[in-house]
Amino acid sequence: MQPQGDIALIGLAVMGQNLILNMNDHGFTVVAFNRTVSKVDEFLAKEAKGTKVVGAHSIEEMCAKLKRPRRVMMLVKAGQAVDDFIALVAPHLEPGDIIIDGGNSLFGDSERRRKELEAKGLLFIGTGVSGGEEGARHGPSIMPGGSPAAWEHVKPIFQSVAAKVEDGTPCCDWVGEGGAGHYVKMVHNGIEYGDMQLIGEAYHLLKTGLGMSADEIQAVFAEWNKGVLDSYLIEITRDIMAFRDKDGKPMVDKILDAAGQKGTGKWTVIDSMEHGIPITLISEAVYSRCVSALKSERVEAAKVLKGPGDGKIKVADKKAFIDSIRDALYASKIVSYAQGYMLMTSAAKAYGWTLNYGGIALMWRGGCIIRSRFLGKIKEAYDNNPKLGNLLLDPYFVKEVGDAQAGWRQVIAAAVTAGIPVPAFSTALAFFDGYRTENLPANLLQAQRDFFGAHTYERVDEPRGKFFHTNWTGRGGDTSSSTYTV
Ligand code: NBP
């Protein structure tokens, strides 16, 4: 009998199972496999009952059931598990067959895997899949990169199962070579950390600063979701506020304030350091989770370290102040996306990728956790000017940040006065003020560096790239240190 399988999927956890069912709905025959093989039959007997999904009980059987070129996708724990499966699968494949890693892998690993597999004549795709359980089942955002020759063979499946925007365009397109797909997914996750932190800060101000109840806060988020902040994360925050525990009390108040993380935010920050790109907001979001995780220390510190007053924000016009919190969230969010795009631009240059920035906004427009109306505006900005240097300089965003600025500053000032931490709001504003400031105090910093270490400086009255050293004390020599970064 001719092989029937369009694609194999290894990994029958939440993402794998749902993506298989999604592929099945779109007419593809999926061969399912899992490390713990008993889960294959359980899946076929329950969730996949009545579908065309085919089970396999060994890698060999799985590969034998696939049409050519064989497409084998993994949705397993990132890291060693992916390398282990590649080692098991590759001997059963032929040149031109394709291995796809859909987990949250580090982009450098994807780059290495592509090289190793291409050396064997195989093709590799490393792809971000975003949207969690719901997205995998009904339409995720898919961000594939890797071996360009693999794309035409995977495109029909991926674009069928991906989320679609209003005009039917799929939230999936080729991102670029090597690790580009996983890089863009990594930045997506970093931005997700930032968005969640911003919403958390707004919630903190409403709850602690203004003393509002979960029901009142629910109404605020419901209102915000009708405007420029319209997004999945605002929507679920609205619904979380309305959710009650068994005793009728708000569920959100029963949850311990110690955040977890799985590493993709941290990876984004680490890579930003490599590129020297200030993604200050995502960094604050990652560190804020770290601060929250110091729960027992914070409980002790709260007894000793006293802030100003009662921690309440006194406002004459509560409605106007809530509008200002919305403006602070919105302006900070614009800064966060501008920073994320700065990082992708720098990485593309360093790693030799040609990224379609408007296309990336479109891929994130639906299906994924950061989906929002706002991303449509980012797409428009890059459509209007594909060479846009920085999102903050796009005329639409210049106006939006300008309009939000007064409220943004007012909220941060009020939060600082009341002793309520707003690290992401504040760092966004600090970046905005730094970015728009022609003369920063780095002249003094350069003087200090040259003073103590002969690190040299450039002069305002000489061309860039010419370096000078001054013998500041009269005791040093004329020899300067060389200019480089380690
Ligand atoms: P998990 O991340 O929980 O992974 C479960 C799968 O990995 C199972 O099939 C398990 O096999 C397999 N596995 C593990 Br765990 N260790 C293994 C090993 N050492 N060798 C081989 N297989 C191993 O599942 P998930 O939440 O569905 O996520 C799958 C991938 O998608 C991950 O990379 C995740 O980061 C990514 N992702 C998840 C989400 C989400 O919302 N959950 C969203 C987007 C992306 P077993 O059954 O034998 O234990």
Side-chain angles (χ1 to χ4, degrees), residues 33 37 56-63:
F33 182 71
V37 181
H57 299 88
S58 69
I59 301 265
E60 195 173 4
E61 182 194 350
M62 177 189 82
C63 293

Side-chain angles (χ1 to χ4, degrees), residues 47-359:
E47 293 85 356
K49 196 169 177 197
T51 67
K52 287 195 302 175
V53 178
V54 181
H57 299 88
S58 69
I59 301 265
E60 195 173 4
E61 182 194 350
M62 177 189 82
C63 293
K65 286 182 166 167
L66 290 174
K67 294 180 201 162
R68 287 173 195 174
R70 299 182 186 88
R71 291 164 284 210
V72 178
M73 180 163 184
M74 289 172 286
L75 268 164
V76 298
K77 186 177 153 192
Q80 191 58 43
V82 175
D83 286 313
D84 292 349
F85 264 122
I86 289 177
L88 291 171
V89 172
H92 299 281
L93 301 182
E94 291 170 358
D97 288 348
I98 302 155
I99 293 184
I100 305 155
D101 171 23
N104 271 338
S105 293
L106 189 55
F107 74 97
D109 286 343
S110 298
E111 182 61 50
R112 168 179 58 78
R113 288 168 185 148
R114 178 189 71 100
K115 283 193 190 129
E116 288 169 2
L117 288 170
E118 284 186 356
K120 293 179 178 154
L122 300 174
L123 302 175
F124 177 76
I125 286 187
T127 182
V129 179
S130 175
E133 177 177 5
E134 187 78 9
R137 182 66 187 87
H138 300 292
S141 165
I142 310 180
M143 297 153 246
S147 313
W151 177 227
E152 62 173 304
H153 301 291
V154 172
K155 188 176 173 181
I157 302 180
F158 277 13
Q159 292 198 335
S160 300
V161 302
K164 312 285 183 303
V165 293
E166 293 83 357
D167 68 359
T169 309
C171 295
C172 170
D173 207 346
W174 184 247
V175 176
E177 293 200 19
H182 273 131
Y183 196 90
V184 167
K185 173 66 174 19
M186 178 187 81
V187 175
H188 161 284
N189 283 30
I191 287 176
E192 180 183 308
Y193 273 60
D195 280 359
M196 292 169 75
Q197 176 64 23
L198 290 172
I199 293 172
E201 290 178 16
Y203 163 64
H204 199 176
L205 289 166
L206 296 168
K207 183 187 170 195
T208 307
L210 299 181
M212 292 170 71
S213 69
D215 281 340
E216 289 171 319
I217 298 172
Q218 193 267 346
V220 169
F221 280 102
E223 190 57 33
W224 287 357
N225 202 41
K226 294 178 191 151
V228 287
L229 293 177
D230 174 358
S231 62
Y232 173 70
L233 282 168
I234 295 281
E235 187 186 309
I236 66 166
T237 306
R238 174 199 70 193
D239 296 347
I240 288 168
M241 291 301 146
F243 201 95
R244 295 284 177 268
D245 199 2
K246 290 187 197 84
D247 60 3
K249 302 229 170 79
M251 188 70 204
V252 67
D253 293 338
K254 302 281 183 77
I255 296 175
L256 188 82
D257 57 326
Q261 49 185 323
K262 281 192 171 165
T264 44
K266 179 183 78 178
W267 291 348
T268 317
V269 176
I270 290 172
D271 198 61
S272 78
M273 292 284 179
E274 295 295 342
H275 295 285
I277 296 295
I279 53 159
T280 61
L281 195 142
I282 297 174
S283 310
E284 280 295 353
V286 173
Y287 286 128
S288 295
R289 289 196 191 192
C290 300
V291 173
S292 82
L294 303 173
K295 176 71 183 178
S296 53
E297 279 185 53
R298 287 189 289 114
V299 169
E300 290 310 309
K303 294 174 191 155
V304 183
L305 303 173
K306 296 297 167 199
D310 59 2
K312 296 274 177 263
I313 296 174
K314 280 94 192 157
V315 287
D317 184 342
K318 192 169 160 187
K319 162 89 180 58
F321 191 76
I322 293 171
D323 287 349
S324 294
I325 298 176
R326 178 203 57 211
D327 290 348
L329 203 171
Y330 182 46
S332 304
K333 181 169 167 140
I334 294 170
V335 168
S336 179
Y337 282 67
Q339 293 181 339
Y341 268 80
M342 285 165 72
L343 180 59
M344 288 192 291
T345 307
S346 175
K349 212 165 143 193
Y351 305 128
W353 305 325
T354 308
L355 298 182
N356 174 352
Y357 299 105

Side-chain angles (χ1 to χ4, degrees), residues 11-15 34-36 39 76-77 81 85 103-104 129 132:
L12 296 180
V14 61
M15 293 300 284
N34 194 65
R35 174 182 65 167
T36 307
K39 290 189 187 168
V76 298
K77 186 177 153 192
F85 264 122
N104 271 338
V129 179

